Amino acid sequence: MPLHRREMDSRSSPAPHKSSSFSPNTAARDDGAKLREVDRNLSLGAARQGEHEVRRGQHGVASEQIKEECEEEEAAERRQQRDGLAGDSGDGGVEGAVGGESGKPDLAALSVEIDAFIAGQDGSEPVSVSEATLEMFASAVELEIARSESSQDKWATGANGEPRALLSAITRIAALAASLAKTPEGSVKHTAGAHRVTAVLNRAMAFLEDEFHALLEDPRVPKEVHDHDRCVLPTADARTGGGEAAPPYPPETVDQLRSMADALVTTGYVTEYTQMFLVARRNAFDASLRALGYEKASIDDVVKMTWEALETEIATWIKAFRHTINVGLSTEHDLCSRIFAGRHAAVGRGIFADLARCVMLHMLNFTEAVTMTKHTAEKLFKVLDMYEAIRDASPVINAFLSTEPAEGKNSTALTDLKAEINAVRSRLGESATTIFREFESSIRADAGKQPVPGGAVHPLTRYVMNYLKSACEYNSTLEQVFREHHRHSDGGGNPFAAQLMEVMELLQANLEGKSRLYKDPSLSNIFLMNNGRYMLQKIRGSPATNAMLGETWARQQSTNLRQYHKNYQRETWSRVLAMLRDDGVLTVKGSVQKPVLKDKFKHFNAAMDEIHRTQGAWVVSDEQLKSELRVSIAAVVVPAYRSFLGRFAQTFSAGRQTEKYVKLSADDVETIIDELFDGNATSMARRRT
């Protein structure tokens, strides 16, 4: 079932107030009250510290008042004992409940009588309790609270592991209040005592709440032991998980929290306690994420961000999300398991499920905002990074689910969270495929009418090949994305490989169209060679891309390059070689026709000068391709020219006539060829000056 999504920025949400059930004026609880469930859609903002500071200040004053009241009550009791009033109560147990010499209420002795009364309410023979006993027991508990105010080890367990007397007293007075509410005669017989017990219970719970909050939030940790707030999650390396994280609280604090939690849950204050615990741990989570540089932003803020700003935010989000999955949730799960052990384990599982869902939903909202931004090609890789982070979260949630009872509410909460994670991952996958389609469309739409100077590698070729090289680093992820979103239905093949082949075909078609922008067919072939060679080198230089396209594509590309090479030589050098052939016009009946020979030399010289001037300005950036071109040209042209010179150079008279027509030696021709494709426009005349 879809989860209810809240606005991402919870900083403006007020922190939940502690329940007024702890007020001394609160009426006694109904005897049918059950453990109250935690609101599953609780909005957890920053915890308000001021209230607890005031509360602690009030307790300082209350402590003095309690001590004074106790001293007055003890004096009154001693007077009653001297006057024989104690015996009028009709209950001999009261005398034994008063300390012998000090006259103070004996909590241990009173507890035995109170336990008997509580146990009797469920039996066939109820045990009665006097109004005086109730008053003395309430005073004894109140005195125990006053003593604990100044005690440094108020929550330490006994030598045999038994809970602190204060916690036992609070648990017992809560049970007593419930028993009095169930007693039919209680409303008449124990009216004053019941009010007194209820008042002390509320005071005890308020004190316990403040003490519990102090343990959760107190930042005063010894610097030499801990250099961070006790309740802040450790910021281990978020990318790798950083190994095993240190616990957020020292062991003694966990033991104290566990003892207090047992008392709070046992007395029925589940909602107040869990709300306070959730706020504290949510604040700890927020602090740990801020330490990683992550700040919550609303969906509107994300949509309006520039790509440069959003790219930075995504990188920070990924780091924070991986920290949450690999460190944060595991730490919180372990903490809840340790504090809520045994009979209260279900409460701990509920708190963890609420915390996990609250934290994760806020972070998942960021991914939804990213999917709502414009789908441009440069966003693909960050979207895939987010997709992988979300995908890797599912096994972690599954591991938590495996520890939950299948029919429990907490299991449902985590199952819903898992469904939301899968839905977010699906939306990111759909965004990735949409972005890739936009990338393909941009190749089709690139119809620039201005040719690249010198036939160099086109910027589109560089962009596409570098883009595909980066994309192939996400080979398995893109294969999964395209398979999930049915971009290709060609059976069991890799759908991303098919998509990659389609992009290469689009690029090749686009380049062939751009080659026709050149008026010189030779330059068109140089352009196709440059770009084709660049594509081949990029593919072979990337093992991932090479594996995706395969040898079949590489062989076809090599065949295309050879064809472009042949086309270039035919367009440029065939007419040059024709000038060096004796086609039956140069020699007639064994006699050389000087006018024809002069024309041939003139045309050859002019052709070489033109080639040197124009093709010297052409660009072949790949050194191997440039060398191959020069070698192949020289292998055909230089021997033909050397042979032509050998046959006909002596026809001219030595001196000015030879210099006029035979301007180039074979070595000069070879030098000219070696200066081609350097991007420098130099004619033979300038070269010789």
Side-chain angles (χ1 to χ4, degrees):
M1 73 184 238
L3 297 177
H4 176 66
R5 308 297 299 270
R6 296 175 298 278
E7 276 297 315
M8 298 170 62
D9 193 347
S10 63
R11 287 172 291 184
S12 61
S13 301
H17 292 281
K18 290 185 290 187
S19 173
S20 60
S21 60
F22 293 142
S23 171
N25 296 325
T26 304
R29 295 172 174 242
D30 293 341
D31 67 305
K34 304 296 181 182
L35 295 181
R36 286 168 288 178
E37 293 187 355
V38 179
D39 179 4
R40 299 300 181 195
N41 290 315
L42 178 63
S43 175
L44 299 176
R48 293 172 54 185
Q49 302 295 328
E51 178 183 352
H52 293 285
E53 294 299 329
V54 173
R55 177 70 63 81
R56 282 193 284 270
Q58 291 173 343
H59 274 303
V61 176
S63 176
E64 297 299 326
Q65 294 175 345
I66 291 171
K67 290 178 181 178
E68 293 176 1
E69 292 174 2
C70 288
E71 291 173 357
E72 294 174 357
E73 291 169 357
E74 290 167 10
E77 289 167 2
R78 285 195 294 271
R79 287 195 299 271
Q80 288 177 349
Q81 289 174 343
R82 285 196 300 269
D83 296 339
L85 297 177
D88 296 339
S89 65
D91 190 344
V94 174
E95 293 181 0
V98 179
E101 295 181 1
S102 65
K104 295 181 180 180
D106 188 340
L107 181 60
L110 289 167
S111 296
V112 173
E113 188 172 350
I114 294 300
D115 287 344
F117 170 73
I118 295 172
Q121 301 308 304
D122 298 326
S124 56
E125 298 180 1
V127 177
S128 63
V129 65
S130 69
E131 192 83 7
T133 299
L134 295 178
E135 174 63 33
M136 284 191 292
F137 179 70
S139 298
V141 174
E142 202 166 34
L143 181 60
E144 187 66 28
I145 295 173
R147 289 170 178 167
S148 297
E149 288 283 348
S150 58
S151 175
Q152 296 297 322
D153 59 346
K154 59 176 72 69
W155 306 117
T157 56
N160 298 324
E162 70 274 9
R164 174 74 176 171
L166 175 60
L167 290 176
S168 298
I170 292 175
T171 303
R172 185 172 286 108
I173 199 170
L176 174 60
S179 296
L180 289 173
K182 291 190 294 185
T183 304
E185 59 189 21
S187 59
V188 177
K189 184 177 180 181
H190 301 128
T191 300
H195 283 307
R196 175 74 168 134
V197 167
T198 300
V200 173
L201 172 61
N202 287 326
R203 178 174 293 173
M205 297 312 298
F207 168 73
L208 191 59
E209 179 194 17
D210 278 347
E211 290 295 319
F212 186 76
H213 186 273
L215 283 177
L216 283 175
E217 298 292 343
D218 186 5
R220 293 167 296 177
V221 182
K223 299 293 184 183
E224 65 274 13
V225 179
H226 300 284
D227 59 356
H228 53 75
D229 192 299
R230 176 178 292 169
C231 69
V232 174
L233 295 175
T235 55
D237 188 301
R239 181 74 183 175
T240 61
E244 185 177 352
Y249 299 102
E252 61 272 15
T253 301
V254 173
D255 292 340
Q256 294 166 9
L257 288 171
R258 181 168 52 247
S259 298
M260 297 171 71
D262 182 74
L264 283 161
V265 175
T266 300
T267 54
Y269 289 84
V270 180
T271 299
E272 295 86 346
Y273 165 70
T274 53
Q275 180 176 331
M276 180 168 47
F277 190 87
L278 276 169
V279 168
R281 297 315 304 156
R282 178 59 195 277
N283 289 340
F285 240 112
D286 289 346
S288 69
L289 296 181
R290 284 194 298 272
L292 293 170
Y294 176 72
E295 294 285 350
K296 297 172 188 173
S298 68
I299 292 178
D300 288 341
D301 290 340
V302 173
V303 171
K304 294 176 183 177
M305 284 182 185
T306 63
W307 167 238
E308 291 74 15
L310 182 57
E311 188 176 22
T312 301
E313 286 296 314
I314 291 175
T316 303
W317 179 90
I318 291 171
K319 183 179 180 182
F321 187 82
R322 290 188 183 277
H323 170 81
T324 298
I325 292 298
N326 299 331
V327 177
L329 292 183
S330 298
T331 300
E332 293 303 312
H333 187 269
D334 178 66
L335 179 65
C336 289
S337 299
R338 291 168 62 196
I339 292 180
F340 300 94
R343 58 190 176 133
H344 302 315
V347 176
R349 289 195 297 267
I351 290 176
F352 171 74
D354 286 337
L355 179 63
R357 187 174 65 173
C358 186
V359 170
M360 292 290 286
L361 286 182
H362 275 292
M363 299 204 75
L364 292 177
N365 278 342
F366 178 82
T367 66
E368 182 173 341
V370 172
T371 61
M372 295 168 64
T373 62
K374 184 178 180 180
H375 295 126
T376 52
E378 67 269 15
K379 295 180 182 177
L380 175 65
F381 308 113
K382 287 301 181 184
V383 168
L384 290 175
D385 286 338
M386 296 176 72
Y387 179 92
E388 290 177 346
I390 297 292
R391 179 190 62 193
D392 296 342
S394 293
V396 177
I397 301 300
N398 287 340
F400 293 137
L401 276 171
S402 66
T403 64
E404 289 285 334
E407 69 283 357
K409 293 182 179 179
N410 304 327
S411 176
T412 301
L414 292 177
T415 300
D416 290 345
L417 176 58
K418 179 183 175 183
E420 181 66 14
I421 288 174
N422 290 336
V424 168
R425 189 187 74 178
S426 178
R427 286 193 289 272
L428 286 170
E430 183 62 36
S431 290
T433 59
T434 302
I435 290 172
F436 209 89
R437 287 195 294 270
E438 291 294 328
F439 171 62
E440 295 171 2
S441 298
S442 69
I443 298 174
R444 292 190 186 93
D446 192 297
K449 300 301 181 182
Q450 188 67 32
V452 177
V457 177
H458 198 282
L460 176 65
T461 306
R462 295 184 186 277
Y463 172 70
V464 170
M465 297 311 299
N466 287 322
Y467 192 91
L468 293 181
K469 180 182 178 181
S470 298
C472 285
E473 295 176 2
Y474 295 85
N475 173 24
S476 59
T477 301
L478 281 168
E479 179 182 357
Q480 180 180 6
V481 165
F482 283 118
R483 199 178 298 282
E484 287 176 352
H485 295 281
H486 311 292
R487 289 285 287 125
H488 282 276
S489 56
D490 55 352
N494 185 339
F496 176 54
Q499 197 71 29
L500 194 64
M501 190 68 72
E502 183 176 322
V503 171
M504 296 302 293
E505 292 171 357
L506 284 172
L507 177 60
Q508 185 64 35
N510 189 292
L511 292 173
E512 288 177 358
K514 285 177 168 51
S515 72
R516 291 190 284 272
L517 297 174
Y518 297 98
K519 296 178 181 180
D520 189 337
S522 297
L523 185 53
S524 295
N525 285 288
I526 290 294
F527 172 78
L528 290 172
M529 268 191 286
N530 271 326
N531 286 271
R533 185 60 170 256
Y534 182 85
M535 292 162 64
L536 185 60
Q537 293 296 90
K538 277 291 184 179
I539 296 300
R540 286 180 170 167
S542 170
T545 313
N546 192 42
M548 295 286 289
L549 291 176
E551 281 301 314
T552 302
W553 181 89
R555 285 195 297 270
Q556 181 60 50
Q557 187 71 358
S558 298
T559 300
N560 292 341
L561 288 174
R562 286 192 295 270
Q563 186 60 49
Y564 301 145
H565 191 161
K566 290 178 181 178
N567 294 343
Y568 162 75
Q569 286 197 315
R570 184 179 65 250
E571 293 292 342
T572 298
W573 299 102
S574 293
R575 60 188 179 88
V576 174
L577 292 173
M579 299 172 189
L580 304 177
R581 285 196 295 268
D582 182 1
D583 50 6
V585 178
L586 184 57
T587 58
V588 179
K589 295 180 180 181
S591 177
V592 176
Q593 304 297 308
K594 273 193 172 184
V596 176
L597 182 61
K598 290 177 181 179
D599 286 342
K600 280 188 176 290
F601 271 105
K602 285 181 180 179
H603 290 139
F604 180 82
N605 293 336
M608 291 304 297
D609 186 63
E610 176 67 18
I611 290 171
H612 189 227
R613 183 177 60 81
T614 58
Q615 298 195 19
W618 294 357
V619 177
V620 176
S621 54
D622 183 80
E623 291 298 327
Q624 184 179 352
L625 177 60
K626 184 189 298 184
S627 177
E628 290 173 358
L629 281 169
R630 290 171 174 173
V631 169
S632 65
I633 295 167
V636 175
V637 176
V638 174
Y641 184 63
R642 183 175 284 115
S643 175
F644 189 78
L645 283 178
R647 289 180 61 190
F648 302 108
Q650 67 275 16
T651 303
F652 299 110
S653 300
R656 292 182 60 185
Q657 191 176 46
T658 301
E659 290 178 1
K660 182 178 180 180
Y661 296 105
V662 184
K663 295 183 178 182
L664 298 172
S665 67
D667 290 341
D668 289 334
V669 171
E670 189 168 3
T671 300
I672 290 172
I673 293 172
D674 284 341
E675 292 177 354
L676 300 180
F677 317 122
D678 277 336
N680 298 315
T682 304
S683 66
M684 290 190 301
R686 287 196 296 270
R687 183 177 62 83
R688 288 202 294 265
T689 58

